[in-house]
Amino acid sequence: MMQTSARLHYPYLVIGAGPAGGRAAKTLAGLAAPGAVALLGEESWPPYERPPLSKGQLFSPEDPGLPTLYDRAGLEADGVHCLFGDRAVGVDPHAQQVVTAAGGQIGYDRLLLCTGASARTLPFGAPGDVLTLRTYEDSLAIRARLVGAGSVIVVGGGFIGLEVAASARGLGLNVHVVEAANRLMQRAVPPVVSLCFARKFVKEGVAFTMKTPVEDIRRVGTGHRILLRDGTKLDADLIVAGIGAQPNTALAEMAGLEVDGGILVDGDGRTSNRYIFAAGDVAVFPHETFGLRRRLEAWEPALDQAERVAHVMAGVDAPAIPSPWVWSNQFDWNLQMAGFGDLADREIVRGAPEGDSFTVFHIRGAQLVGAVSVNAGRDMTLVRRHLGEDLSEAQLVALPDTTNQLRKVLRGQIELQGAATG
Ligand SMILES: Cc1cc2nc3c(=O)[nH]c(=O)nc-3n(C[C@H](O)[C@H](O)[C@H](O)COP(=O)(O)OP(=O)(O)OC[C@H]3O[C@@H](n4cnc5c(N)ncnc54)[C@H](O)[C@@H]3O)c2cc1C
């Protein structure tokens, strides 16, 4: 562990050197006086990208190395004091001081918590029996076990589970996905999308057991056995769980901040303490256009929030946070989601789900509250510009017909032309 010097003080201290913390520190350094910003991270790496860890990183027979987002030398050159390999273990909001595991005490004027989230674990098996994926080290451990293995059971049919399943299948393993819900990616996509992905995975040779929770996990020889609630026993060389993540809120709780499924913040990222801010996967932000508060677990929103909050902390005009957008790549397919589909009271499908390229629009009343595109990235680029807008009845009627240009439909140019044309 790196020894953080005994007593330090920074006008701006960022805890958590993930993508949100890295972006915020870099932005703050550009806005503040030299030497004003420190970035404290428990991982020994500089901020890196997590999305490749379940995709390219696992596919590759050669270790492609750390997918660096901001390298240490660059951050230091920008004026960020990097304190990596040490963990914040306490925050005293009255003394405005952070204590680290290495015994350091770091004072701050403004503190930003970007502590992210940790992978949920299954309460079965001995330590090391079930692998999870959140960090670079996790991905190296999974890759090392996948290469040379014959079979893997993936528990969880969400994004991470399915990306790992696709990567493992790409390496030629027998892959079995076990999911407690009755469809894939249930919390994030509508049934038509779940079905389409199930078809794709089966076609690629992945086996599924749905609607069946795990009851126990045991070692059998050099491999593992999963016992399911319906009595089924499945054996594999390794087990990977992708069953979601939980926000790292311990520090915030210690500091007495308001926490409810994440650190509660206002639209500027300010917590219930005016000198402490939060951003990224750990923060519950308000999304005013959609009338809700929600914690997100997505790359781009984490960076967008960090960018805004850094500006607010520095006391300068802050860019607005765009509507959330998330992507996932599974086999050769691309899935993109924007907004909050679960708010919708109706769905409009554009394109043919059986043709494997389509977009689902989520409508609440007349408002476009979200969309999910399957192999239709161009649709999503257009949709993102119009999220949150109210659509006219003519637009809603024109939406499913792919002979109508989506750009014109979303701009409301259909009435002007009399009818939308392709
Ligand atoms: C395998 C994987 C694949 C993904 N793929 C996609 C994708 O395809 N598309 C997409 O939109 N999103 C994807 N995501 C989500 C995206 O990576 C996250 O939303 C993003 O990493 C959030 O950034 P963050 O900085 O808020 O949190 P994190 O990335 O979790 O970083 C938080 C950092 O804080 C550190 N930390 C925590 N507590 C302390 C402490 N007390 N002291 C010091 N440091 C601390 C942690 O060690 C960590 O380094 C993926 C995530 C994973 C894990």
Side-chain angles (χ1 to χ4, degrees), residues 277-307:
F277 297 74
D281 279 16
V282 76
V284 181
F285 262 79
H287 301 272
E288 274 158 25
T289 314
F290 304 96
L292 53 70
R293 283 174 162 265
R294 199 165 286 178
R295 187 177 73 82
L296 302 168
E297 284 174 11
W299 175 260
E300 194 151 290
L303 295 183
D304 291 338
Q305 292 170 8
E307 187 68 27

Side-chain angles (χ1 to χ4, degrees), residues 87-136:
R87 177 178 173 77
V89 291
V91 177
D92 179 343
H94 305 292
Q96 297 192 201
Q97 196 170 73
V98 169
V99 178
T100 76
Q105 293 176 11
I106 312 175
Y108 64 83
D109 296 336
R110 301 243 180 313
L111 176 67
L112 173 57
L113 299 176
C114 292
T115 48
S118 300
R120 279 186 206 286
T121 52
L122 281 168
F124 308 114
D129 281 355
V130 181
L131 303 178
T132 54
L133 178 52
R134 181 77 195 179
T135 66
Y136 178 56

Side-chain angles (χ1 to χ4, degrees), residues 67-198:
T68 307
L69 176 65
Y70 303 119
D71 67 75
R72 185 183 184 127
L75 284 170
E76 300 266 12
D78 286 345
V80 177
H81 190 173
C82 296
L83 308 167
F84 298 155
D86 195 2
R87 177 178 173 77
V89 291
V91 177
D92 179 343
H94 305 292
Q96 297 192 201
Q97 196 170 73
V98 169
V99 178
T100 76
Q105 293 176 11
I106 312 175
Y108 64 83
D109 296 336
R110 301 243 180 313
L111 176 67
L112 173 57
L113 299 176
C114 292
T115 48
S118 300
R120 279 186 206 286
T121 52
L122 281 168
F124 308 114
D129 281 355
V130 181
L131 303 178
T132 54
L133 178 52
R134 181 77 195 179
T135 66
Y136 178 56
E137 269 107 352
D138 293 340
S139 81
L140 292 181
I142 293 176
R143 211 180 114 266
R145 298 269 298 272
L146 282 178
V147 176
S151 58
V152 57
I153 295 170
V154 177
V155 181
F159 297 129
I160 304 282
L162 291 179
E163 288 180 0
V164 170
S167 299
R169 191 73 198 118
L171 287 169
L173 275 77
N174 287 324
V175 181
H176 197 123
V177 175
V178 174
E179 167 59 58
N182 63 359
R183 62 184 181 84
L184 300 176
M185 301 177 282
Q186 188 184 34
R187 281 184 305 135
V189 303
V192 64
V193 176
S194 301
L195 251 179
C196 191
F197 273 80

Side-chain angles (χ1 to χ4, degrees), residues 15-21 40-43 50-51 53-55 86-89 114-117 133-134 160 163 248 251 279-282 297-300 302 325-329:
I15 300 182
L40 172 71
E42 71 175 315
E43 295 188 73
R50 299 193 196 278
L53 302 182
S54 46
K55 307 173 184 79
D86 195 2
R87 177 178 173 77
V89 291
C114 292
T115 48
L133 178 52
R134 181 77 195 179
I160 304 282
E163 288 180 0
N248 296 323
L251 278 180
D281 279 16
V282 76
E297 284 174 11
W299 175 260
E300 194 151 290
W325 170 72
V326 191
W327 83 95
S328 174
N329 294 329

